[in-house]
Amino acid sequence: MKIVIIGGTGLIGSKLAPLLRSSGHEVLQASPSRGVNAVTGEGLQPALAGADIVVDVSNSPSFEDKAVLHFFETGTRNLIAAAQQAGVRHCVALSIVGTDRLESSGYFRAKLAQERLIANSGLAYTILRATQFFEFVGAIADSGRRDGAVHASSQLMQPMLSDDVAAALADVTLGEPSNGIREVAGPEAAPLADFVGRWLRKQGDTSRIVAGADVPYYGAPLALRTLVPDDGARIMPTRFDDWLGRAALRSSQ
């Protein structure tokens, strides 16, 4: 099959492409740097010509509310139109666990808009919602730095390794369309502040951690289970501490 990955040169796209190629499929890693831009429409129809499956793992370069909504709404509308014209038989999109529970976040609102456009497109589709990636825990910690401490939510998070995201996404891509939403997560649910603390200590950062249920997540308030999956989610194997250990070993070599 021909599979087009929108956002194909990014973190997940670059991990997904070799998994799909190893199964014998033709894979086009589409991105603005390679002349394919879903938001402007540039190169989109030629890229999708003859495609059987399209996978959207693209992400907005700006997280400002209006910019991110424009990115996902416009890009998704253009992608749907091109996929319909090309006769694509399966449209797959990567989204976020909790998308429908955190509408106080402009980013989550934009992802929810993307999901709804795909669901109402008439295309056969699967939306895979993943939890936060291990690789982003450092940025979460940095977002909470103030007054010499790191402030982090005590609400739950269940993060996962980006390689495991790509593996789950490959299975969804090559499977039958579910015409619905699936969820995937890491093996451990714990307070967000706990993951932040473990990451900081592995970096040798002794900053004081201030945990609280009312500490926002990128400006949005969390409930206890906003960022963890519902029952029935696929649970991937890699544990946070194992990843931390491997990352520390690589950095020391």
Side-chain angles (χ1 to χ4, degrees):
M1 294 185 292
K2 178 181 177 181
I3 304 172
V4 178
I5 305 174
I6 304 298
T9 59
L11 175 63
I12 299 300
S14 61
K15 296 176 184 291
L16 175 63
L19 296 178
L20 298 175
R21 289 193 181 106
S22 69
S23 297
H25 303 288
E26 174 191 354
V27 179
L28 175 62
Q29 291 174 261
S31 67
S33 65
R34 297 186 177 184
V36 182
N37 189 318
V39 177
T40 65
E42 176 191 3
L44 201 53
Q45 289 186 349
L48 264 63
D52 300 284
I53 301 172
V54 61
V55 186
D56 189 357
V57 295
S58 62
N59 203 5
S60 175
S62 170
F63 287 5
E64 188 275 325
D65 285 4
K66 289 183 179 179
V68 72
L69 184 62
H70 172 75
F71 178 90
F72 283 116
E73 283 192 333
T74 304
T76 302
R77 287 192 179 104
N78 288 339
L79 183 59
I80 288 169
Q84 290 170 334
Q85 182 172 334
V88 167
R89 66 173 187 83
H90 190 187
C91 179
V92 179
L94 180 63
S95 191
I96 312 168
V97 165
T99 292
D100 54 345
R101 297 194 287 263
L102 200 61
E103 292 192 64
S104 56
S105 162
Y107 187 86
F108 277 62
R109 287 197 303 272
K111 291 297 291 183
L112 189 60
Q114 176 193 32
E115 289 184 3
R116 288 170 173 166
L117 285 167
I118 293 168
N120 294 324
S121 68
L123 293 166
Y125 74 95
T126 305
I127 293 168
L128 181 66
R129 288 179 177 172
T131 53
Q132 287 65 32
F133 305 168
F134 291 166
E135 291 89 344
F136 296 162
V137 172
I140 294 171
D142 289 341
S143 73
R145 290 186 186 274
R146 62 179 185 273
D147 303 326
V150 175
H151 296 253
S153 176
S154 60
Q155 309 289 23
L156 295 177
M157 183 168 73
Q158 194 169 336
M160 61 186 299
L161 182 63
S162 61
D163 298 72
D164 285 351
V165 177
L169 195 57
D171 290 343
V172 164
T173 299
L174 299 178
E176 291 300 314
S178 68
N179 293 315
I181 295 168
R182 296 181 179 179
E183 292 188 328
V184 63
E188 178 187 10
L192 189 155
D194 183 61
F195 289 107
V196 165
R198 286 146 70 182
W199 186 88
L200 290 172
R201 301 301 173 250
K202 185 60 73 169
Q203 316 311 311
D205 188 329
T206 58
S207 297
R208 183 170 60 95
I209 300 168
V210 180
D214 59 346
V215 176
Y217 177 72
Y218 290 110
L222 296 177
L224 179 64
R225 299 187 59 83
T226 299
L227 299 180
V228 297
D230 294 326
D231 292 342
R234 180 177 179 182
I235 304 301
M236 302 302 281
T238 309
R239 300 188 68 81
F240 186 66
D241 287 341
D242 293 339
W243 171 76
L244 279 178
R246 294 202 300 268
L249 180 62
R250 286 194 300 270
S251 65
S252 67
Q253 292 175 341

